[in-house]
């Protein structure tokens, strides 16, 4: 992974999917705008790293187990000095980072909603009993089954392009993707409809891009600090604190959304659902004068409440 060019001043690590590359290019372009030394062609190199989650495409990620399926190899490259920073979809990033790594920057958050995509129907409500929905997300599967138990949900892996091809081939009647991903790919037209948050609460940190660096890398930290969005950082902190309290992994149907209200307060909603959709528990918090500390405290409190209400067998049922 060594760079042969003397012109490279900064090395970005990323997964190789079209969406991951779009996010890495967004970070590269923003850095080039902010810092004249990065404006020259080739000053910032993008290194594609294949992760475990990218390699395993024949099984649901929940069957593979563990956390960091889309980050571990990138983390290793970062800590090993092969790259200077890594660009991640925040919903892929474990709530506990490896020693020696920090996450100082979160970009302005995109649309948090899920997109309903179908060539036949406009919404779940239009779908007849037995219709098949493809999704790789346990959260989406469980929430659909909770509200529409007459529908059938199957595991549906692959990047955006792969899932759309499977839909066109008629393997399923509908699928879901994140609106943020479609927007970043310049394909919002793919969505049949954006699903309101009240109908399907999004994944923790959905729509947010985060940048990790080595803890002792003062130079890179200074460069990327200009990209940080404080409001998005506080929202994501609240949601990730709830996830951490619930000990959430890719086996766990957990949803959370922190939003600023017109009066400056923050509303945090957190939901857990049994994987088969048979039971759903919700809670929310209102945070006055939200900052990183009290937002995270509210998230922890909400997560602990749901954990206590659900009991030890809820999520593993």
């Amino acid at each position: 992974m060594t760079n042969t060019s003397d012109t490279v001043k900064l090395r970005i690590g990323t997964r190789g999917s079209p969406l991951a590359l779009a996010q890495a290019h967004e970070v590269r372009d923003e850095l080039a705008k902010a810092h004249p030394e990065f404006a020259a062609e080739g000053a910032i190199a993008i290194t594609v790293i294949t992760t475990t989650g990218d390699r395993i495409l024949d099984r649901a990620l929940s069957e593979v187990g563990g956390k960091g399926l889309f980050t571990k190899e990138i983390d290793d490259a970062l800590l090993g000095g092969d790259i200077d920073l890594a660009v991640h979809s925040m919903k892929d990033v474990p709530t506990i980072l490896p020693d020696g790594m920090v996450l100082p920057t979160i970009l302005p958050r995109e649309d948090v909603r899920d997109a309903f995509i179908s060539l036949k129907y406009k919404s779940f409500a239009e779908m007849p009993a037995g219709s098949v929905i493809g999704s790789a997300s346990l959260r989406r599967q469980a929430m659909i089954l909770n509200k529409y138990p007459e529908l059938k949900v199957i595991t549906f892996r692959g990047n955006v392009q792969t899932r759309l091809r499977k839909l066109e081939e008629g393997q399923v009647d509908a699928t879901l993707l994140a609106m943020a991903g479609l927007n970043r790919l310049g394909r919002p037209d793919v969505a049949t409809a954006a699903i309101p948050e009240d109908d399907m609460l999004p994944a923790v940190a959905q729509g947010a891009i985060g940048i990790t660096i080595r803890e002792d890398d003062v130079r890179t930290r200074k460069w990327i600090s200009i990209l940080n969005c404080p409001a998005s950082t506080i929202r994501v902190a609240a949601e990730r604190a709830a996830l951490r309290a619930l000990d959430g992994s890719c086996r766990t149907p957990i949803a959370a959304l922190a939003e600023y209200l017109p009066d400056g307060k923050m509303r945090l909603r957190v939901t857990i659902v049994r994987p088969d959709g048979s039971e759903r528990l919700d809670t929310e918090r209102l945070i006055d004068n939200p900052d990183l500390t009290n937002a995270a405290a509210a998230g922890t409190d909400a997560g602990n409440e749901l954990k206590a209400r659900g009991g030890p067998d809820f999520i593993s049922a």
Side-chain angles (χ1 to χ4, degrees), residues 129-245:
S131 297
V132 179
I133 301 164
S135 175
S137 159
L138 281 190
R139 171 190 62 87
R140 288 169 178 154
Q141 292 180 4
M143 286 191 150
I144 292 166
L145 291 172
N146 176 257
K147 197 166 182 180
Y148 303 99
E150 72 280 4
L151 300 178
K152 183 181 177 185
V153 182
I154 64 168
T155 299
F156 210 46
R157 291 288 315 284
N159 61 32
V160 172
Q161 290 77 6
T162 302
R163 294 191 213 183
L164 293 177
R165 176 179 54 75
K166 290 179 177 179
L167 180 67
E168 288 168 5
E169 289 171 354
Q171 293 185 30
V172 292
D173 299 304
T175 189
L176 290 89
L177 293 167
M179 279 303 307
L182 295 176
N183 290 340
R184 289 192 174 111
L185 288 168
R187 296 297 311 279
D189 57 293
V190 165
T192 305
I195 305 171
E197 298 95 314
D198 290 349
D199 292 342
M200 182 172 283
L201 207 64
V204 168
Q206 185 155 304
I209 296 173
I211 301 176
T212 55
I213 61 170
R214 288 181 294 279
E215 190 171 15
D216 60 0
D217 189 348
V218 177
R219 185 182 67 159
T220 301
R221 187 191 291 251
K222 185 178 177 183
W223 277 333
I224 66 174
S225 64
I226 197 167
L227 305 188
N228 187 58
C229 173
S232 297
T233 300
I234 293 169
R235 293 173 66 192
V236 167
E239 296 168 23
R240 281 170 62 81
L243 180 66
R244 184 170 179 174

Side-chain angles (χ1 to χ4, degrees), residues 6-24:
D6 294 333
T7 63
V8 174
K9 295 183 169 67
L10 198 66
R11 299 159 300 166
I12 296 175
T14 177
R15 294 170 59 205
S17 72
L19 177 55
L21 287 171
Q23 294 178 167

